[in-house]
Amino acid sequence: MESFNFFFPTRIVFGNGKLGIIGEETARLGKRALLVTYPSQSLKNAVDQAVELLGQNGVETVLFTDIEANPTHAQVNLGGEAARDAGCDVVIGLGGGSAVDSAKAIAVVATEGVDIWDIYEGHPITRPSLPLVAVPTTAGTGTEATFFTVISHRELKRKEGFARTQFYPKLSIVDPLLTLSLSPYMTAATGLDALSHAIEAYYCRASTPVVEALAARAVRLVSENLRRAVFNGQDVVARYNMMLANTLAGMAITQSDSCLAHVVGEAVGAVYNTGHGVSVAVSLPATMEYNCFAAMDQMANIASWMGVDTFGLTKRELAALAPGAVRTLIEDVGLPRGLAALGVKDTSAVMELMLRPGMDAASPRPAGQADFELLMQACLSPEMGYWRLGGK
Ligand SMILES: [Fe+2]
């Protein structure tokens, strides 16, 4: 039995309509809030409601909306400056992963006064950061429950996820009703991202018993609710369960690590600017096939959590069915079967990113250059896969 740590400093308030507490709760943390979000018709109601509730509770709001889908270091630095200039004493991130990730980084930069890229490269955080309130409006990244942020550097053509304890939100208000307006495609892509967090956090080398408990519930919830949420966006129960899966999977991954689907998906996203959720989702089945027998017990459990009929099957047989269960879900919710469908053609730049040292550190089965080349091919065209990867 291995020893493990569990540390989780974020207070999470979860439930339908909980956006309603944003005013009174933020008022406990500060008097002037930098509200980090992005211009979006589907977010307008939530932003208006938040600003009104903050005002009613004596919190002045400074809006910062200069955030893109893949937030850049320059935008984060500007956000930090805006918070300092306006004398903000609390930061709110309201929106999808890009808004919350930006807010995490802005809350640090605002007090530290250095470039966020310097912090990524190891500059120590020496000052207390501004308290952060995270309000996610998608059910996928789980960023409201993690100490990760993902920031791009356009000039360097880099996109890096990195972790700092200071990135944990002080408070996360997780309101499933905020996801009702998500499109079927975004619901599918972000939902598969949540599934990939639960699956990868569980089977990778950094997993712990706490991660297993969180992942088991999250995988079941996605398997039982994602199709419903995609095909009927107004299904409040499915939306609630997907949001819960998203937060549990975030808690799992922040205690553990991601694995090869994120290595492939993030490299593809950095080069081709494809969405994070879809890039990772499409890469998940083949990377699970790669690890199918290095993590056989875990894969067998994943298959049963996903609803595979376990009757009469050996553990080996069950494990081999796990990647297919994920592939079926991906197809059912209308995401592409391979990365080629996302326009990925020349893979040399992607390979370069994947072959940096340590990229396979969390993988139960190590991966060298030849393995990554095979994996890339398998992710590109789904006809390849398990047998081609020598998994038998
Ligand atoms: Fe992810």
Side-chain angles (χ1 to χ4, degrees), residues 284-341:
L284 187 57
T287 53
M288 287 172 71
E289 277 156 355
Y290 183 78
N291 266 304
C292 194
F293 294 141
M296 191 168 82
D297 288 2
Q298 291 93 325
M299 291 298 171
N301 285 335
I302 290 165
S304 80
W305 298 339
M306 291 202 69
V308 170
D309 183 2
T310 61
F311 185 76
L313 295 184
T314 63
K315 194 172 276 184
R316 178 208 171 276
E317 287 166 334
L318 248 185
L321 292 174
V326 174
R327 191 165 275 136
T328 301
L329 179 59
I330 289 172
E331 289 179 16
D332 285 355
V333 297
L335 293 184
R337 283 167 57 86
L339 291 170

Side-chain angles (χ1 to χ4, degrees), residues 89-301:
D89 47 10
V90 56
V91 177
I92 301 171
L94 193 160
S98 54
V100 177
D101 276 9
S102 301
K104 285 175 164 181
I106 287 170
V108 169
V109 167
T111 53
E112 200 59 39
V114 297
D115 190 321
I116 188 66
W117 206 256
D118 289 341
I119 291 174
Y120 161 67
E121 287 183 333
H123 187 287
I125 300 172
T126 55
R127 302 188 180 127
S129 307
L130 294 184
L132 172 69
V133 178
V135 188
T137 60
T138 61
T141 68
T143 184
E144 75 280 2
T146 76
F147 70 153
F148 304 115
T149 189
V150 183
I151 303 295
S152 298
H153 193 305
R154 203 167 283 154
E155 293 73 30
L156 298 178
K157 290 193 168 40
R158 299 265 298 275
K159 179 180 176 181
E160 302 293 347
F162 56 111
R164 297 290 182 275
T165 305
Q166 290 86 348
F167 291 155
Y168 274 116
K170 185 94 179 152
L171 168 70
S172 287
I173 299 172
V174 190
D175 183 344
L177 297 182
L178 297 178
T179 64
L180 285 176
S181 57
L182 271 183
S183 70
Y185 177 79
M186 281 305 290
T187 303
T190 53
L192 257 305
D193 191 26
L195 181 72
S196 72
H197 295 159
I199 286 177
E200 295 207 313
Y202 170 53
Y203 87 70
C204 85
R205 290 160 56 97
S207 189
T208 74
V210 175
V211 173
E212 177 173 355
L214 293 163
R217 185 76 196 276
V219 171
R220 277 184 202 278
L221 285 167
V222 175
S223 304
E224 291 166 5
N225 292 279
L226 183 58
R227 293 172 178 87
R228 286 171 57 180
V230 167
F231 290 104
N232 178 6
Q234 297 303 306
D235 184 333
V236 177
V237 173
R239 290 294 196 188
Y240 179 99
N241 286 332
M242 281 308 302
M243 198 58 146
L244 182 56
N246 152 72
T247 302
L248 295 179
M251 291 173 74
I253 207 159
T254 204
Q255 303 298 328
S256 179
D257 205 343
S258 57
C259 203
L260 297 177
H262 273 79
V263 174
V264 177
E266 283 174 358
V268 165
V271 175
Y272 282 94
N273 210 21
T274 48
H276 173 84
V278 69
S279 316
V280 171
V282 170
S283 310
L284 187 57
T287 53
M288 287 172 71
E289 277 156 355
Y290 183 78
N291 266 304
C292 194
F293 294 141
M296 191 168 82
D297 288 2
Q298 291 93 325
M299 291 298 171
N301 285 335

